Amino acid sequence: MWTADNVDDMMGNRRALEGRVAFVPTMGALHAGHVSLMQAAKQLADHVLVSIFVNPTQFGPSEDFTRYPRPIERDLEACRAAGVAGVFNPTVEAMYPADLLPCDVTIPALATILEGAARPGHFAGVCRVVAKLFNIVQPDVACFGQKDYQQCRVIQAMVDDLAFPIRIAELATVRESDGLAMSSRNAYLTAEERRHAVGLYKALSAAKSLVETEGETNPAAVESAMRQVMVSHHVEPAYAVLRHPRTLAELDAINPAVTGGVVALAAGKLGAVRLIDNMVLGRG
Ligand code: PAF
């Protein structure tokens, strides 16, 4: 497995590859969810390329950019074990040279709601780095985890509008045995917070049961139930909503047959740690 820490080396290595390339962009601190993306990527192409880059442009000034975990040797070992062909782990200077005039890529309809409202500028940073990575890596297919549901919608919208010749493969969230979605940020939780964190999954499961089993059609009723479950597990709700699965628009009524399912999205805080999760409902 080769590694490249600058754009020229990465592009040179990429050009030498024959056949289809599947790409898994990451910020490192790899866990079983990332490994499952790499395994899925292997089924989709001849070569798997991974990027490991903690992208400063998607972090707000008061967020965890500097303390975000960077276990690079362990991450490279995980890539090697998963059969990855090459890893792009650029420095910040390689991606964003000081004399660059930055480009703005945004999907305004999605960038300022939910995670975008809580993290101004976050999705512009994600779009900019993903567009740049796509141009550098030139993959045929790129794999993203559905855990970051809004990010998936933003990236698909960017690919559709800017006609990137890349298929986006969205892979199911990988969960711990109690249902907690795997996330690099779970490492910040204390033992007690970790126990409570399952409240996000329980809230989404409550929404699933209300929509799919009880046929509830009122979004407000489901949202209120989700918040109650979060609070009962000591998770401070940031939001707990049901939305259109593609546009993330608010719903007047729950009618999965018309909207092609609905998505329940939840974000909550455990101490200083903010976690997100989601579940697509009503798709049979
Ligand atoms: O999901 C992530 O880890 C990041 O947002 C991504 C897509 C690698 C861009 O930095």
Side-chain angles (χ1 to χ4, degrees):
M1 183 183 84
W2 49 260
T3 62
D5 67 3
N6 66 78
V7 173
D8 286 346
D9 286 355
M10 176 63 215
M11 288 176 123
N13 287 335
R14 166 65 184 97
R15 269 195 298 273
L17 291 176
E18 283 175 20
R20 286 173 59 78
V21 166
F23 176 43
V24 182
T26 81
M27 296 205 303
L30 303 179
H31 51 66
H34 294 109
V35 172
S36 89
L37 290 180
M38 295 177 208
Q39 281 158 355
K42 265 178 116 170
Q43 305 304 311
L44 299 172
D46 302 300
H47 312 281
V48 177
L49 299 181
V50 170
S51 64
I52 297 177
F53 179 59
V54 185
N55 171 40
T57 69
Q58 69 188 74
F59 288 79
S62 59
E63 292 183 14
D64 54 344
F65 173 69
T66 45
R67 77 179 182 117
Y68 198 85
R70 291 165 171 83
I72 187 66
E73 289 311 323
R74 212 189 68 202
D75 286 350
L76 291 176
E77 195 38 54
C79 292
R80 218 171 270 122
V84 167
V87 173
F88 181 41
N89 59 334
T91 58
V92 172
E93 294 68 33
M95 282 296 274
Y96 303 123
D99 59 352
L100 211 63
L101 296 178
C103 174
D104 209 357
V105 192
T106 52
I107 312 292
L110 294 171
T112 53
I113 58 172
L114 303 169
E115 283 310 284
R119 306 180 64 188
H122 171 67
F123 287 117
V126 169
C127 283
R128 181 175 169 210
V129 79
V130 171
K132 188 160 187 161
L133 289 167
F134 281 177
N135 283 331
I136 295 167
V137 176
Q138 303 268 316
D140 297 282
V141 54
C143 300
F144 292 87
Q146 214 172 28
K147 147 89 174 33
D148 294 306
Y149 191 87
Q150 189 173 359
Q151 172 171 281
C152 288
R153 301 282 60 75
V154 165
I155 288 166
Q156 187 66 63
M158 179 184 81
V159 163
D160 290 345
D161 190 24
L162 300 183
F164 279 95
I166 297 171
R167 179 161 88 78
I168 302 300
E170 253 178 67
L171 285 312
T173 303
V174 178
R175 298 183 178 280
E176 303 283 359
S177 56
D178 64 352
L180 176 67
M182 290 205 180
S183 161
S184 306
R185 290 194 169 98
N186 292 351
Y188 298 150
L189 297 168
T190 64
E192 190 183 26
E193 289 165 351
R194 168 63 190 85
R195 278 196 302 280
H196 293 155
V198 73
L200 278 168
Y201 175 69
K202 297 269 187 208
L204 297 167
S205 303
K208 180 177 169 69
S209 144
L210 282 169
V211 172
E212 295 185 354
T213 310
E214 295 182 34
E216 177 62 64
T217 57
N218 178 3
V222 178
E223 292 171 0
S224 155
M226 287 166 70
R227 294 180 85 89
Q228 277 175 35
V229 174
M230 287 165 77
V231 170
S232 74
H233 284 82
H234 309 278
V235 181
E236 184 193 330
Y239 57 76
V241 294
L242 285 194
R243 293 292 171 97
H244 187 285
R246 187 176 62 84
T247 63
L248 302 186
E250 289 178 24
L251 300 166
D252 293 332
I254 302 169
N255 192 344
V258 170
T259 52
V262 294
V263 59
L265 300 136
K269 279 186 90 174
L270 295 117
V273 187
R274 188 171 181 284
L275 297 180
I276 58 172
D277 198 357
N278 68 84
M279 211 178 267
V280 178
L281 313 176
R283 282 201 177 146

